[in-house]
Amino acid sequence: MTDERDIVNRREDFKRFIVFCLASLVVIAQTAVFAYIWYDYYRGLIFEPFWRKGNWVLIAIYGLINVLFSRLYGGLKVGYLKRIDVFYSLTLATICTNIVTYFQITLINRWFLRPWPMIEMTLIQFVIILVWIWGSRYIYSKLYQARKLLVIYGDRDPGDLISKMNSRRDKYDISGKVHISVGEKEIYRMMKEYDGVIIWDLPANIRNRYLKHCFAHSIRCYLSPKISDVILMGSERIHLFDTPLLVAKNMGLSIEQRAAKRLLDIIVSGIGIIVASPLMLIIALCVKFYDRGPVLYRQERLTEGGKPFKICKFRSMCVDSEKNGARLASKHDSRITPVGRVLRNLHLDELPQLFNVFMGDMSLVGPRPERQTLVREYCKEIPEFYYRLKVKAGLTGYAQVYGKYNTTPYDKLKLDLFYIENYSFVLDLKLLMMTVKIFFQKEVSEGVNDNQTNALKDSVDPVKELSEKEPVDPEEKEYVFVDTIQMREEHKARFGCRIEIDREAKTFKVFPFIVALGGDSRSNRYEVEEHPGEDDEEKIRDMDREALGFQAL
């Protein structure tokens, strides 16, 4: 066993060395281009030129700034990000580095110099980046193949996770999955055939046993954290005694953190409003001239402590977009105007929120502000969803940078808790810088599926779902739609609705119901009245959940 561990450790050490060498290569190449531009052009124009060591220091500072921005955007993570993401990251890092360096040269000269050499240098560096991305990925893929992984799962199906990880087949190879019902001994034996395991949403006591086994045998392990795990990540260590203790204060931000955050909000939003005013004027004219409707869209959202406020955005949908009720935008939403689609893809529809930030309703960085109706829906399925309201809602945030518009509420909650529990002023600055990157990533603004009303995976529109599943017989007066099966051991419960259609009156009635199936295949059906009230909801909740096997999400 010791020999196997040594081999694994040596392999990891060699891998880190290769990644370091490849990352150093692109930094050195870009710094060399700057050194040439400096010696060939700018050095001769400086009012008081440097001596030899002064030039070296300036070139070294350029390389250091390039490394800092590249690490900030993740551009040096060879084999970790997709090629296109590496290109975005290194391109932004190069632009930021060159802008900072140009102003640095301006300060040294005490006046502005021609920027064209810097622009030409930037274009040459873009070519270097493209060549480096192709070459480094080729070398990395030849040395290190995708890891063979085993998924260990329980009652919750891992299909969604597997689908996401399969999008990176260059890095992950989901070669097998096993249910915990086969037994721990068999799973331990199977682990030896893989490069790592994924422990997918298991009960804490079972998960911990697998995690300890992986630690004892030096097995790479990927985990889906629970909400309690995320909260513990933000805890502080206490070393007053010889017994280790953790303290989770659970109070949100401290008074000095709130003061620093508010100061940053006022300064950045104030400058942003002034700088972006011409762009906002152009956008306002485009929105107005398209359909003569209102330019701005105001809607009530929730911020810190559940306090409601009116969010302000550029209108990206048709005027009567919510005549049939509020719902999230879908991937092919017909309500979005052509102007609105461009604004959404570039996130420019959110620029007026700078006024919300300046007024103190929102912060620059924080959880995405949600509508009260959506929060209520999400809290029914995820009671902890209101934990996000421990801080002010944000224009950007951890979930916005690392997630997507259609990220599930449960995953969005965990991402927001990552931010709340690990908050720092530096983290705010980092997320603000990272926000620039997502402007160029179209998938980040991708809407929910066309048949969903919110980001919950089972929030389907029954009429749309029916029409997509099978053609409807024009003479049919009634049909039933059943969706979302919750499993627990041998029990299951089905939720659905019966839809009665009156073709002549062009109306329909929806009758929600629950069919709960016990282990002996007997079923109980409770059908709600046409307009279900609180009594109906109480009856549903008070059904014998243990006997029927009903389990909430």
Side-chain angles (χ1 to χ4, degrees):
M1 182 64 66
T2 304
D3 293 339
E4 291 182 7
R5 290 179 182 176
D6 290 340
I7 292 172
V8 171
N9 289 335
R10 285 198 297 270
R11 185 177 183 272
E12 286 299 313
D13 290 342
F14 183 69
K15 177 181 176 181
R16 289 178 178 274
F17 177 73
I18 293 296
V19 170
F20 173 78
C21 290
L22 292 172
S24 300
L25 190 63
V26 70
V27 173
I28 292 171
Q30 289 184 305
T31 305
V33 175
F34 168 73
Y36 175 80
I37 295 295
W38 169 254
Y39 276 108
D40 185 66
Y41 182 78
Y42 286 111
R43 180 175 178 270
L45 298 177
I46 295 296
F47 180 69
E48 294 181 359
F50 287 138
W51 292 98
R52 180 185 302 171
K53 291 183 179 179
N55 297 318
W56 295 351
V57 169
L58 184 65
I59 293 170
I61 290 174
Y62 179 90
L64 179 62
I65 296 173
N66 187 285
V67 170
L68 291 176
F69 277 113
S70 297
R71 287 179 63 86
L72 172 66
Y73 289 117
L76 301 180
K77 294 183 177 180
V78 181
Y80 181 76
L81 299 176
K82 296 178 181 178
R83 287 190 180 93
I84 188 64
D85 290 332
V86 174
F87 178 75
Y88 287 148
S89 299
L90 282 180
T91 298
L92 284 173
T94 300
I95 292 173
C96 292
T97 302
N98 292 348
I99 290 174
V100 171
T101 302
Y102 176 74
F103 283 109
Q104 184 182 4
I105 294 173
T106 300
L107 290 173
I108 294 171
N109 187 57
R110 303 173 190 174
W111 192 247
F112 293 97
L113 294 172
R114 291 176 67 244
W116 300 115
M118 292 292 289
I119 295 174
E120 292 172 3
M121 179 186 78
T122 304
L123 295 176
I124 294 172
Q125 289 173 327
F126 288 169
V127 175
I128 292 174
I129 290 171
L130 288 171
V131 173
W132 178 81
I133 290 173
W134 181 87
S136 61
R137 179 54 66 89
Y138 179 80
I139 293 171
Y140 186 89
S141 61
K142 287 295 182 182
L143 291 175
Y144 299 99
Q145 302 296 322
R147 295 182 184 275
K148 288 180 58 179
L149 300 177
L150 172 69
V151 180
I152 305 171
Y153 69 100
D155 293 339
R156 188 179 172 193
D157 185 76
D160 189 47
L161 174 72
I162 293 174
S163 175
K164 291 178 181 178
M165 298 190 74
N166 278 341
S167 66
R168 290 298 308 275
R169 293 185 182 274
D170 60 311
K171 188 171 178 63
Y172 306 109
D173 177 14
I174 311 297
S175 303
K177 62 178 183 177
V178 58
H179 194 276
I180 56 174
S181 60
V182 304
E184 290 185 16
K185 288 185 178 180
E186 176 62 18
I187 293 176
Y188 291 156
R189 184 195 64 78
M190 294 176 66
M191 284 183 183
K192 299 176 182 178
E193 303 172 7
Y194 296 86
D195 299 324
V197 298
I198 302 173
I199 301 177
W200 175 241
D201 205 20
L202 298 180
N205 60 330
I206 300 175
R207 181 197 64 178
N208 292 343
R209 290 201 297 270
Y210 287 115
L211 178 60
K212 291 176 182 177
H213 178 85
C214 291
F215 184 84
H217 295 83
S218 300
I219 299 172
R220 180 179 288 259
C221 182
Y222 301 83
L223 296 170
S224 172
K226 298 181 180 298
I227 292 174
S228 55
D229 298 328
V230 179
I231 294 174
L232 283 176
M233 287 179 184
S235 61
E236 297 178 9
R237 300 182 182 91
I238 294 181
H239 297 297
L240 298 177
F241 320 103
D242 59 352
T243 298
L245 287 177
L246 297 175
V247 55
K249 296 182 179 179
N250 305 323
M251 297 297 293
L253 306 187
S254 64
I255 185 170
E256 60 270 19
Q257 288 174 331
R258 292 199 298 271
K261 190 176 179 66
R262 181 62 187 144
L263 181 62
L264 178 68
D265 289 343
I266 293 173
I267 294 173
V268 176
S269 62
I271 295 173
I273 289 170
I274 296 171
V275 173
S277 292
L279 178 59
M280 287 195 280
L281 177 60
I282 295 171
I283 294 173
L285 292 174
C286 292
V287 174
K288 187 67 177 180
F289 289 156
Y290 176 73
D291 60 4
R292 305 295 178 180
V295 170
L296 297 177
Y297 171 76
R298 292 181 175 86
Q299 189 181 62
E300 190 172 274
R301 301 286 179 96
L302 298 183
T303 186
E304 185 178 12
K307 179 183 176 182
F309 74 100
K310 290 288 186 180
I311 197 171
C312 185
K313 302 173 70 174
F314 283 121
R315 183 173 57 85
S316 60
M317 293 188 176
C318 56
V319 177
D320 57 350
S321 60
E322 295 189 344
K323 62 181 180 180
N324 295 322
R327 55 175 293 171
L328 290 182
S330 59
K331 294 178 182 178
H332 307 98
D333 203 318
S334 59
R335 300 175 299 166
I336 301 176
T337 65
V339 174
R341 198 167 298 280
V342 174
L343 296 180
R344 281 175 169 267
N345 287 340
L346 296 177
H347 301 272
L348 296 177
D349 60 318
E350 299 179 359
L351 279 177
Q353 291 178 45
L354 288 171
F355 292 97
N356 290 117
V357 174
F358 191 79
M359 296 298 293
D361 297 325
M362 295 173 62
S363 178
L364 288 170
V365 183
R368 175 185 170 83
E370 299 285 4
R371 286 170 287 187
Q372 189 169 15
T373 53
L374 284 179
V375 171
R376 287 174 179 171
E377 289 180 31
Y378 294 157
C379 284
K380 289 178 183 178
E381 306 295 340
I382 311 163
E384 303 90 349
F385 193 76
Y386 74 92
Y387 291 176
R388 305 165 67 250
L389 302 178
K390 277 187 173 288
V391 296
K392 283 184 181 180
L395 180 60
T396 185
Y398 206 94
Q400 293 93 310
V401 169
Y402 294 104
K404 300 179 181 179
Y405 179 80
N406 59 2
T407 297
T408 62
Y410 187 57
D411 288 337
K412 191 179 295 184
L413 168 62
K414 289 190 283 188
L415 289 171
D416 286 328
L417 287 179
F418 273 129
Y419 169 74
I420 295 171
E421 292 301 309
N422 297 279
Y423 173 80
S424 69
F425 186 77
V426 175
L427 179 59
D428 266 5
L429 295 178
K430 179 181 178 181
L431 291 173
L432 286 172
M433 297 292 290
M434 290 287 288
T435 301
V436 180
K437 179 181 173 182
I438 67 175
F439 287 164
F440 305 97
Q441 296 175 308
K442 185 178 179 181
E443 65 274 11
V444 172
S445 58
E446 189 177 73
V448 298
N449 291 331
D450 293 335
N451 62 340
Q452 288 180 240
T453 57
N454 57 51
L456 291 169
K457 292 298 182 182
D458 59 344
S459 61
V460 295
D461 183 331
V463 177
K464 276 193 174 184
E465 183 73 6
L466 275 169
S467 62
E468 291 173 3
K469 282 189 174 182
E470 58 183 21
V472 178
D473 185 351
E475 302 301 322
E476 191 71 36
K477 297 297 182 182
E478 175 185 330
Y479 47 88
V480 174
F481 161 67
V482 179
D483 187 51
T484 308
I485 300 177
Q486 304 293 334
M487 301 294 294
R488 184 170 68 84
E489 297 176 356
E490 74 278 9
H491 302 295
K492 57 186 176 183
R494 288 178 179 164
F495 305 80
C497 59
R498 177 169 57 84
I499 301 177
E500 289 186 358
I501 301 175
D502 188 336
R503 300 286 178 183
E504 295 180 358
K506 296 183 179 180
T507 61
F508 64 88
K509 296 179 181 179
V510 179
F511 298 87
F513 65 80
I514 290 178
V515 178
L517 303 176
D520 57 358
S521 298
R522 291 180 300 174
S523 66
N524 288 320
R525 172 165 170 155
Y526 174 74
E527 186 163 307
V528 185
E529 296 297 330
E530 178 180 352
H531 301 289
E534 293 182 1
D535 292 341
D536 296 308
E537 294 178 3
E538 286 295 328
K539 290 177 183 178
I540 295 173
R541 284 197 292 267
D542 293 341
M543 294 175 69
D544 187 352
R545 300 187 178 200
E546 286 298 319
L548 299 176
F550 176 82
Q551 183 178 0
L553 281 173

